[in-house]
Amino acid sequence: METSDVHEDVWIPTVCANCFSFCPIRAHRVDGVIVKIEGNPDDPLTQGRICARGLSGINILYDPNRLNYPVRRTNPNKGRGIDPKWERISWEEALDTIAAKLREVREDDPRKLVASFGVNGGPQSYTLEAFAVAYGTPNIFVGGAGNHCASGKHFIGGLTHASWVSQPDFNFCNYFLNFGVPVGTGAYYGVNAAVRKMADARARGMKHVVLDPWMGMPAQSADEWVPIIPGTDAAVALAMTNLLLNEYRVYDHEYLEHETNGPYLVGDDGHYLRDADDKPQMWDAVEDRPKPYDAAFNQVALEVDRVVDGRRWRSAFSVIKEHVKRYTPELATEISGVPVVTIRRLAREFGSAARIGETIVLEGHELPFRPVALSYFKGPQAHKHSALISTALELLSAIVGVRSVPGSYVGINSRSLGHPETGFPKWSPTDGPDGLLVTGRWVVPPSQPWPPVYPKKPEDLGLGQLIPPSHGNTPMLPLVSQDPARYGIDYKPAVQIMVATNFAMSLSDPEVVEGFFKDIFTVNFNLFLDESAELSDIVLPDCSYLERLDVNADWMANGCATDSWSYPLRQPAVAPIAERRSASSVLLDLAERVGITPDINAVMNVSFGFREPYLLESDRQYTLEEVVDARYKSWFGEQFGLEWMRKHGILAWPKRVDEVYWHSFVKTRIPIYFEHFLTFKETLEGIQRETGLFLDLDLDDYQPYPDWRPCAAHTEPRPEFDLTAIYFRIPFQSFTSTGDNAWLDEVSTIDTYANRININTATAAKKGIVDGDWIELESAGTGKTVRGRARLTQCVHPEVVAMSGHGGHWARGLPLASQPGKGINFNRLLKQDFAHMDTLSLNLDLCAKVKVTKVGRP
Amino acid sequence: MRYGMVIDLKRCISCYACQVACKSENATPPGVLYAWAFRQEQGEYPNARQVYLPMLCNHCAEPSCVEVCPTGATHKRDTDGVVLIDPEKCVGCRACMTACPYHARYYVDKIRNYYPGQGLTPYETAGYGRHNAGTVEKCNFCADRLQKGQEPACAANCPAMARTFGDLDDPDSAPSLLIRREGAFQLLPDQGNDPSVYYLPAERPAKESR
Amino acid sequence: MNRPTPSIYSDLGAVYRPERVWAEGRAITLVIAHFLSGAGAGGWLIGLIIGLRLASLLGLAAVVLGGAIHLGFLGHPERALRMMAKPQSSWISRGLWSMLLFVPTAALYVAGAYGAWSTRSAFSVVMLVLSLVGMAGIFLYKGFVYAVARAVPLWHSPLLPVSYISAGLRGGAALALIGLAFSPSGQDRHAVQTWWLAATAAMVFLFALELAMGLDDKTVRRSLSALAEGSVAWAFFGGFVLFGLVVPVALVITSLDASIGSAGLLIAGITSLGGDLAYKYCMNTAATYVPLLGPRGIA
Ligand code: SF4
Ligand code: SF4
Ligand code: SF4
């Protein structure tokens, strides 16, 4: 080591990347070595407090198993367990090879490029996306995580909260009905601020009730745990809705009348009864006639059910109110296992906690006060009927007026009125077609929820164009790629670029996904030689988040619905070690080599939101520094460029009342009735007729109001497949990216649930299983098996086996993570076909019916 | 002065961040956990619950570990009540470990690294100088941080702000107020150690809300 | 592999956490050392009382050997003398003082006994007295080293020091049996046998009494089940009961009136000592801490 006279001791503000929360951190560098990572105390949201993953980032930087130079496969055989026989190559050689390949393919057909990235890659993913769009391919995928995600929730959330995700308003919420979301308990968005705020709320007296098959992070610390059969949350929510609407008559009439499409009149075909100008209509109770929704009304009728001139006019609200009657608490109990008394009590508690009619004055504005929140995310909705589940849960919120008002469930970053000095950045929800809500900013622009993007015959391998709400979901990719012609696609993918994703492992049954890699030349930017790298052709050593500069590691402005905006900069805490290079800068370089610099500049101008005078010129190759500088100046004003950000690390300012509670400041209506799903359906039927394709895409779920429908797991006929397997999140691992982190591995060993298959003690006793036994799960869907050690517990539903979603690695390049007993690769249990996918959001059904047997060993 | 801590089990979300914050602050080798946490289940489904307990040395007012230490390596600092181990004096007889009812102590037989067979990471190289093979180690309330006027790392980092650190001798300090007002308890009070780490029960009446 | 024993990880969440640091791995040296010094002190005393010099000599040797082996347990044996620092509070410290007092004075006394100078000289008398003081310290400290561990109920009993003294005497009597086997005349055979039987009876009685008194303590019951059916049951039944009690008792009783050959004495002595070692091992290994969480949760 070089000796230097100057003893170095500095703290560098930057941003974590061990999960998509992207907390501001600071790294302590002493004589060139990172000796500590802490939360950045300058961040008003996390207040210098971060999770176990973030604290362990040092091991991501210094893991001796990191890839340090480019390698090329010399073994043409690809597959799990086959040694790629890596050969070290120079960067120059790697880039020449890749550029040549990309030029060749682009000349042939640019659509043959597949770009896939992971959520934790964040900003690098944006760069790859820009590269792909510039290249000319529609095949852009959020690998893995996009699948184990809340596609239905995101889409419905965009329609109803003007946001990608929402959060309880912990400042005022008094009753939090939580369908299994670890918000405030160590995962979800804005993790650490939410943890603090949740703790404050609970100390203040907020009641936290969790419905979850597994007593995981949310339920462990909650006031009440309500165990439930996986995939049945919608049944409970619909029964509660029924009770509130039809029996207890507790609902926010005012809200439904003025701020939802509840009063819109619909006909027998389910469509709005539009006027001559194609506008939806409402019934004026005084004039006793329908009028266009934007006319002046004496009195809007919320409930309408009448026949005029032989035509039946009903309000959307009346349709729904009638529809939910079939969901009696008794039926919901039969489906969900939640006792009738509990359902009734929860409905009462939820309804009365909403304090319908009350208001609160904040900063001089009198606003509705609804101190009750309902939250759901991946868990309850990652099922066959994802969108219907999401609409069911949203409906229960909507009827008590829980929509971005004080105390309720608030969209994260729905509205931004800009930094007080510069007025940037600025976006706001607006009123759109049919008088319905348009989001101000949507993180995945092509699939914006409203006005709707209608289905069309797909050109992309993920069928995103066929099913627009799926926004970049991956589950179809391996299926379509196997046989594109079957889906009316006239090319086969030839080359793939992967950044920060390990979807060979994290998507679904790895053996199916593996097939996708076989005939595609894959260039993989990676920290490790992980499972996906083992199936790739060239692997490039990426910089970890502690070694790189990023364009927008602040994409969620730190993910707290209330309190503050906080935009941190991710900058290198140490110079890249060995030959590591950041994927973003390499991609800019590759763009030049492929000859698409003008295109990528044009795309970045749009996707990063550049504005005059910082727009990138067309024919110049920019460095990453220049791009980042342009990004910060465009977003926040001249004074807040890269230089300022490097020094200060964070740009933060308080959120305003009219930002957080935007709903009271934007005149529009929010759908509780999704009429356009019917139009989607009709369009899709047209495509089916016209092409003779996609006939196995069942369109039953394309309906304007919710229902509960069973998953494959609920209808499995074979009695030996008697348990449902689910996975859960833990606050000290993030799926496939932290498995080799030795500190987290140690925590996972200590926490007796993390690496085990958790099975109810009574269930285990019936099967002769004792704690610590090796057991095997066989999936009813795939016939595949996984093995793990049983953990007998009282904390899981007797019909469920639960395991953490982080484990089960097998790559040689991850020696810690790939030892037997380090968790279970749950995805092997997941079947990938339309029957196990929500055909409205392409969310994969993440519960699997399994047969459990005792086996001798790993 | 008597430094102490109150851990609010109602705020705690069982995230192990304290354990890892401690590890990263002190560069402790594998299996050495000055701060740690564990879970135990109580009751039966569906009325089961999990008790999760974050732990650290209690810096007892009557430390049984000090009493049994034959060398005087383990001692209680008069100025602030922090119980420390002088690594130069410790012979590694482990009597203190059998005497501590709270399992706060670890014998470091040799200093292992976290990536077996792959050498020390630069972080380990930088941090392992603080550890002494053949001696007993434990939480020292982050004595170095205290000297700089900072809280112990676990408390400073706890995302739930479940850990309140301060002077128990000062009746108006934050931990003293919590102890008085919220019904704090000590672990194993019958042992007579009088721990300076208190806990607030997970289930307790809420403060009046709006 | 370069990993710590995984037991630390599972111990963290265990309701009844086993005491391991004085029981597992290299702690066997500590068990042997404690056993040896106890038996040695016993051998010294009994040898003196019945005038069996070889027994005293064996006792002294056992104490020395025990001390040496003890060093092997320490993380820093070169710092061993620092353990003298806290006699005011630490029983280990007191034990070390005792040994350091005992070994030289006993050695000097023995030297006199073997003719270097007269055992009746004032010097020898002083040595004798000091060695007896040291011996008493050795007898006492061992039990207290364990008994002060308030969180380990199997050890934390007022009877434990007494029962460890009786064990030391039994060990001493066993050394005397061995000494007898090598003594030309075989005088005092009855005295040795009586001592051995009495010490054995006392030790078994105290052990039983201690367990009986601890029975209503859940943690003690836990330790007992470890003895009865757990991981140390083999050492308890095979080592202590069979090897350490049944075999030597049978030998000693059957030979009370008859003459027993040197081999018999030797076997009785060795099995008795082996049994004591097993007993010590069991007492260390079955030790369990009081649970951190009470039966009804915390507080
Ligand atoms: S919550 Fe996510 S981003 Fe924040 S510190 Fe933890 S891993 Fe890093
Ligand atoms: S860091 Fe805080 S919330 Fe997390 S386990 Fe420790 S005490 Fe509990
Ligand atoms: S907790 Fe244990 S180690 Fe810490 S002061 Fe108390 S007795 Fe000593």
Side-chain angles (χ1 to χ4, degrees):
Chain A
M1 195 189 266
E2 237 178 275
T3 50
S4 106
D5 301 341
V6 198
H7 169 72
E8 180 202 46
D9 186 338
V10 289
W11 290 88
I12 297 104
T14 181
V15 180
C16 183
N18 282 299
C19 81
F20 52 71
S21 224
F22 288 2
C23 297
I25 55 171
R26 54 177 193 159
H28 192 189
R29 192 175 71 207
V30 176
D31 297 326
V33 176
I34 302 297
V35 297
K36 179 110 194 266
I37 293 173
E38 288 181 359
N40 186 344
D42 294 340
D43 175 33
L45 293 171
T46 58
Q47 301 187 355
R49 296 161 189 276
I50 56 172
C51 80
R53 293 163 296 225
L55 294 160
S56 304
I58 295 169
N59 291 330
I60 301 277
L61 179 63
Y62 292 130
D63 188 331
N65 302 302
R66 279 282 298 276
L67 178 65
N68 282 327
Y69 42 78
V71 292
R72 171 172 55 198
R73 160 186 296 273
T74 61
N75 184 355
N77 289 333
K78 275 186 192 175
R80 178 176 176 148
I82 299 174
D83 184 354
K85 303 230 165 71
W86 297 119
E87 169 193 63
R88 178 174 178 169
I89 54 173
S90 69
W91 266 103
E92 221 21 62
E93 186 184 348
L95 293 180
D96 282 346
T97 315
I98 297 163
K101 182 86 192 175
L102 286 171
R103 279 196 303 268
E104 175 200 312
V105 169
R106 187 162 190 256
E107 245 152 65
D108 173 25
D109 184 345
R111 297 174 305 170
K112 292 187 174 177
L113 170 69
V114 172
S116 56
F117 48 81
V119 173
N120 291 8
Q124 294 193 308
S125 312
Y126 275 87
T127 324
L128 177 60
E129 198 170 2
F131 182 93
V133 175
Y135 189 89
T137 181
N139 293 309
I140 299 168
F141 297 100
V142 185
N147 179 21
H148 292 245
C149 194
S151 304
K153 146 95 182 186
H154 287 313
F155 180 68
I156 304 293
L159 289 167
T160 55
H161 294 276
S163 64
W164 183 246
V165 279
S166 314
Q167 206 176 41
D169 178 5
F170 290 122
N171 291 339
F172 297 106
C173 183
N174 290 332
Y175 189 91
F176 178 21
L177 184 65
N178 187 357
F179 289 83
V181 187
V183 54
T185 48
Y188 198 64
Y189 293 78
V191 167
N192 293 301
V195 168
R196 173 177 55 82
K197 295 189 68 63
M198 166 90 125
D200 283 346
R202 294 195 61 243
R204 173 173 58 76
M206 182 190 78
K207 185 168 180 190
H208 184 201
V209 179
V210 176
L211 290 94
D212 198 325
W214 160 244
M215 186 188 274
M217 293 135 70
Q220 189 272 338
S221 60
D223 298 284
E224 184 179 351
W225 174 43
V226 181
I228 180 170
I229 292 172
T232 64
D233 307 71
V236 173
L238 287 167
M240 289 173 67
T241 305
N242 177 23
L243 287 170
L244 288 170
L245 290 181
N246 293 311
E247 191 172 325
Y248 305 151
R249 306 204 143 264
V250 174
Y251 54 91
D252 194 339
H253 192 287
E254 187 83 350
Y255 170 76
L256 291 164
E257 181 179 313
H258 294 292
E259 294 179 57
T260 72
N261 68 349
Y264 285 14
L265 299 168
V266 297
D268 285 336
D269 62 356
H271 280 289
Y272 295 143
L273 292 167
R274 294 172 185 273
D275 72 354
D277 297 327
D278 215 25
K279 285 189 180 166
Q281 304 181 81
M282 303 191 292
W283 198 271
D284 190 315
V286 176
E287 294 173 38
D288 202 30
R289 67 178 180 94
K291 295 198 313 206
Y293 72 91
D294 52 359
F297 276 76
N298 301 300
Q299 171 68 55
V300 175
L302 179 59
E303 292 195 46
V304 183
D305 186 357
R306 52 200 299 162
V307 181
V308 180
D309 304 336
R311 210 172 170 197
R312 188 169 181 201
W313 302 74
R314 289 199 293 169
S315 71
F317 178 73
S318 292
V319 172
I320 288 170
K321 193 163 171 242
E322 187 58 32
H323 172 72
V324 297
K325 279 191 180 149
R326 72 193 67 178
Y327 291 96
T328 60
E330 288 71 22
L331 177 66
T333 299
E334 201 177 297
I335 295 169
S336 69
V338 180
V340 171
V341 280
T342 309
I343 295 174
R344 287 187 167 272
R345 176 172 52 80
L346 293 180
R348 255 198 214 99
E349 286 177 4
F350 186 73
S352 69
R355 303 195 182 184
I356 293 165
E358 286 190 30
T359 59
I360 184 173
V361 177
L362 294 175
E363 290 174 23
H365 304 279
E366 183 173 6
L367 305 170
F369 183 58
R370 298 286 171 279
V372 51
L374 180 159
S375 118
Y376 66 102
F377 199 55
K378 179 185 68 192
Q381 63 89 75
H383 293 284
K384 168 67 186 147
H385 305 286
S386 178
L388 288 185
I389 295 168
S390 302
T391 47
L393 293 167
E394 287 295 349
L395 178 64
L396 177 55
S397 282
I399 60 166
V400 294
V402 165
R403 286 286 159 76
S404 292
V405 297
S408 73
Y409 196 52
V410 178
I412 299 180
N413 304 335
S414 300
R415 190 179 205 215
S416 170
L417 300 175
H419 187 277
E421 280 172 43
T422 63
F424 293 112
K426 207 171 220 148
W427 63 80
S428 175
T430 50
D431 190 39
D434 291 348
L436 297 179
L437 170 74
V438 180
T439 55
R441 173 174 169 242
W442 189 239
V443 292
V444 284
S447 61
Q448 100 234 359
W450 192 261
V453 178
Y454 287 102
K456 59 175 194 247
K457 197 172 153 287
E459 266 185 58
D460 66 310
L461 301 162
L463 306 187
Q465 292 148 330
L466 183 75
I467 301 173
S470 65
H471 57 71
N473 232 337
T474 332
M476 290 311 294
L477 176 62
L479 293 184
V480 178
S481 300
Q482 271 168 18
D483 187 5
R486 205 183 138 218
Y487 299 89
I489 290 165
D490 60 355
Y491 63 92
K492 278 200 125 186
V495 56
Q496 175 181 216
I497 303 179
M498 298 177 81
V499 171
T501 174
N502 186 7
F503 78 83
M505 168 172 192
S506 61
L507 180 59
S508 62
D509 182 357
E511 279 161 37
V512 175
V513 182
E514 188 184 306
F516 166 74
F517 283 84
K518 288 247 156 87
D519 320 309
I520 187 166
F521 182 85
T522 295
V523 177
N524 192 324
F525 289 87
N526 213 314
L527 304 181
F528 297 96
L529 290 172
D530 64 10
E531 287 73 12
S532 297
E534 280 189 355
L535 298 172
S536 300
D537 295 270
I538 290 183
V539 191
L540 301 170
D542 198 356
C543 285
S544 69
Y545 68 99
L546 292 166
E547 303 161 277
R548 68 178 196 242
L549 180 70
D550 267 342
V551 187
N552 57 346
D554 52 20
W555 69 296
M556 285 296 292
N558 252 291
C560 183
T562 57
D563 298 32
S564 267
W565 298 98
S566 176
Y567 290 90
L569 172 76
R570 180 175 294 141
Q571 59 178 331
V574 280
I577 293 169
E579 289 186 20
R580 303 171 190 173
R581 286 197 205 171
S582 117
S584 291
S585 27
V586 174
L587 284 166
L588 293 180
D589 189 6
L590 267 180
E592 179 72 14
R593 289 175 191 243
V594 178
I596 54 170
T597 293
D599 311 75
I600 198 172
N601 288 352
V603 176
M604 288 194 293
N605 278 336
V606 178
S607 64
F608 288 133
F610 294 165
R611 61 182 174 85
E612 282 298 356
Y614 313 108
L615 287 173
L616 307 180
E617 288 162 31
S618 159
D619 46 5
R620 217 186 104 196
Q621 192 195 346
Y622 287 88
T623 64
L624 187 58
E625 279 75 12
E626 288 170 313
V627 175
V628 177
D629 190 46
R631 165 18 167 80
Y632 278 93
K633 287 178 173 161
S634 295
W635 272 55
F636 305 106
E638 176 68 28
Q639 65 266 52
F640 300 121
L642 178 58
E643 208 186 307
W644 190 95
M645 287 301 295
R646 270 191 198 281
K647 195 146 86 217
H648 295 87
I650 290 184
L651 179 62
W653 66 94
K655 281 191 170 171
R656 297 162 43 150
V657 161
D658 49 355
E659 291 174 326
V660 176
Y661 309 117
W662 59 272
H663 194 16
S664 303
F665 301 87
V666 176
K667 181 98 198 85
T668 185
R669 287 176 183 269
I670 292 179
I672 57 171
Y673 186 92
F674 301 91
E675 188 232 10
H676 64 296
F677 289 179
L678 289 173
T679 320
F680 278 14
K681 180 179 186 174
E682 287 142 17
T683 318
L684 282 165
E685 282 166 348
I687 293 172
Q688 283 176 331
R689 271 195 307 275
E690 180 193 322
T691 61
L693 301 170
F694 312 111
L695 298 173
D696 50 345
L697 187 74
D698 82 80
L699 301 175
D700 290 353
D701 284 5
Y702 284 76
Q703 61 180 43
Y705 43 71
D707 260 317
W708 177 81
R709 299 213 170 105
C711 300
H714 300 123
T715 52
E716 171 59 44
R718 290 165 293 175
E720 67 273 25
F721 290 90
D722 55 347
L723 299 181
T724 303
I726 58 162
Y727 74 86
F728 53 83
R729 290 210 62 181
I730 46 179
F732 43 88
Q733 291 278 6
S734 34
F735 293 118
T736 59
S737 67
T738 49
D740 213 57
N741 191 320
W743 291 354
L744 299 177
D745 178 56
E746 186 174 47
V747 181
S748 304
T749 309
I750 292 170
D751 187 280
T752 52
Y753 303 118
N755 283 331
R756 302 279 196 98
I757 298 175
N758 298 286
I759 181 168
N760 186 287
T761 309
T763 309
K766 279 187 218 139
K767 295 180 186 291
I769 295 166
V770 303
D771 196 66
D773 277 352
W774 282 91
I775 56 174
E776 181 174 271
L777 309 181
E778 182 188 330
S779 160
T782 64
K784 304 277 171 62
T785 59
V786 295
R787 288 182 178 194
R789 289 180 67 199
R791 189 342 177 165
L792 270 50
T793 171
Q794 302 288 348
C795 297
V796 68
H797 194 286
E799 293 170 33
V800 171
V801 280
M803 60 217 89
S804 166
H806 78 277
H809 284 270
W810 60 84
R812 256 168 292 230
L814 301 167
L816 269 192
S818 56
Q819 290 164 13
K822 302 279 180 183
I824 293 96
N825 182 12
F826 181 88
N827 294 338
R828 270 178 77 78
L829 307 173
L830 296 179
K831 178 98 177 154
Q832 218 176 359
D833 57 14
F834 280 139
H836 293 77
M837 233 177 256
D838 179 28
T839 50
L840 218 153
S841 67
L842 290 188
N843 217 124
L844 198 66
D845 187 353
L846 298 184
C847 66
K849 208 80 185 187
V850 293
K851 179 169 92 186
V852 179
T853 39
K854 209 161 129 170
V855 286
R857 58 178 118 117
Chain B
M1 183 152 75
R2 174 185 177 190
Y3 275 135
M5 194 182 286
V6 175
I7 301 179
D8 184 343
L9 300 177
K10 184 166 188 180
R11 297 189 71 105
C12 173
I13 56 149
S14 72
C15 72
Y16 295 93
C18 39
Q19 178 176 316
V20 179
C22 168
K23 182 155 285 294
S24 71
E25 178 74 28
N26 295 299
T28 46
V32 178
L33 304 153
Y34 295 175
W36 75 103
F38 68 88
R39 288 177 205 278
Q40 277 172 19
E41 293 184 2
Q42 292 178 343
E44 281 186 17
Y45 178 90
N47 300 312
R49 64 171 194 148
Q50 278 172 30
V51 176
Y52 173 92
L53 212 58
M55 304 278 296
L56 70 166
C57 171
N58 286 295
H59 297 277
C60 306
E62 302 292 339
S64 43
C65 56
V66 169
E67 194 181 305
V68 301
C69 175
T71 63
T74 288
H75 60 285
K76 190 168 176 66
R77 194 154 69 182
D78 317 330
T79 46
D80 54 11
V82 176
V83 174
L84 296 168
I85 302 169
D86 181 343
E88 296 305 312
K89 286 190 186 162
C90 176
V91 284
C93 73
R94 287 158 262 184
C96 52
M97 296 179 70
T98 65
C100 171
Y102 307 101
H103 322 306
R105 296 175 161 253
Y106 298 80
Y107 177 65
V108 182
D109 61 340
K110 67 178 197 183
I111 299 169
R112 293 170 165 79
N113 62 335
Y114 262 102
Y115 290 90
Q118 299 187 294
L120 295 181
T121 65
Y123 168 84
E124 288 171 333
T125 307
Y128 275 9
R130 283 175 264 172
H131 302 286
N132 299 276
T135 67
V136 170
E137 298 191 358
K138 67 161 191 77
C139 156
N140 57 9
F141 258 167
C142 285
D144 290 347
R145 290 176 62 98
L146 292 182
Q147 202 164 6
K148 287 184 257 173
Q150 297 166 331
E151 291 185 322
C154 59
N157 181 73
C158 173
M161 296 179 79
R163 305 166 83 103
T164 310
F165 181 79
D167 178 11
L168 302 188
D169 281 346
D170 171 1
D172 298 323
S173 71
S176 296
L177 291 176
L178 284 175
I179 291 168
R180 230 173 26 246
R181 292 181 188 160
E182 303 283 347
F185 63 91
Q186 296 162 310
L187 292 178
L188 300 180
D190 297 348
Q191 288 286 318
N193 277 37
D194 190 6
S196 301
V197 174
Y198 284 75
Y199 293 84
L200 303 182
E203 281 152 36
R204 63 179 201 275
K207 284 271 140 57
E208 207 16 66
S209 60
R210 190 192 123 101
Chain C
M1 249 315 212
N2 197 11
R3 294 270 100 183
T5 47
S7 60
I8 175 65
Y9 297 128
S10 48
D11 281 358
L12 295 177
V15 177
Y16 290 96
R17 179 167 164 151
E19 201 298 306
R20 293 186 198 271
V21 293
W22 279 358
E24 291 186 356
R26 249 208 303 167
I28 191 69
T29 55
L30 182 84
V31 173
I32 295 172
H34 279 174
F35 151 71
L36 281 175
S37 59
W44 181 251
L45 182 67
I46 293 174
L48 286 176
I49 293 175
I50 61 175
L52 185 61
R53 211 181 273 165
L54 194 52
S56 296
L57 203 61
L58 283 173
L60 171 59
V63 173
V64 172
L65 187 63
I69 290 179
H70 198 161
L71 290 181
F73 173 70
L74 298 179
H76 282 282
E78 78 286 359
R79 298 179 183 167
L81 288 183
R82 288 181 192 247
M83 296 198 296
M84 296 169 73
K86 300 291 285 272
Q88 66 275 39
S89 65
S90 155
W91 276 101
I92 294 183
S93 229
R94 291 170 196 160
L96 182 58
W97 276 100
S98 304
M99 283 207 240
L100 291 177
L101 179 65
F102 173 78
V103 172
T105 54
L108 288 169
Y109 178 76
V110 166
Y114 277 89
W117 48 78
S118 163
T119 46
R120 290 178 197 281
S121 69
F123 177 73
S124 270
V125 172
V126 171
M127 290 305 109
L128 177 62
V129 171
L130 289 178
S131 76
L132 288 174
V133 173
M135 177 204 75
I138 293 173
F139 268 141
L140 273 182
Y141 105 89
K142 220 160 3 73
F144 277 107
V145 159
Y146 293 93
V148 291
R150 287 195 294 263
V152 183
L154 182 67
W155 296 347
H156 183 56
S157 151
L159 280 179
L160 188 91
V162 194
S163 89
Y164 274 27
I165 292 172
S166 68
L169 287 172
R170 188 176 108 103
L175 286 177
L177 285 173
I178 294 171
L180 210 56
F182 292 101
S183 293
S185 58
Q187 83 280 40
D188 303 321
R189 167 188 294 263
H190 271 283
V192 173
Q193 286 173 330
T194 313
W195 266 102
W196 188 87
L197 283 172
T200 300
M203 174 178 160
V204 171
F205 172 74
L206 287 164
F207 179 61
L209 185 65
E210 191 193 333
L211 296 187
M213 280 171 61
L215 264 187
D216 51 333
D217 183 299
K218 271 201 177 156
T219 315
V220 173
R221 284 214 298 276
R222 182 87 183 177
S223 295
L224 287 188
S225 67
L227 289 180
E229 51 195 27
S231 48
V232 290
W234 64 270
F236 184 70
F237 289 113
F240 177 55
V241 178
L242 183 65
F243 203 69
L245 291 176
V246 177
V247 173
V249 165
L251 278 173
V252 170
I253 290 193
T254 54
S255 70
L256 261 183
D257 293 315
S259 110
I260 178 174
S262 299
L265 291 172
L266 193 61
I267 293 172
I270 288 175
T271 50
S272 168
L273 288 174
D276 287 358
L277 182 60
Y279 162 73
K280 195 98 213 55
Y281 172 79
C282 289
M283 283 299 283
N284 280 31
T285 309
T288 306
Y289 288 97
V290 290
L292 281 170
L293 305 182
R296 285 178 303 107
I298 14 194

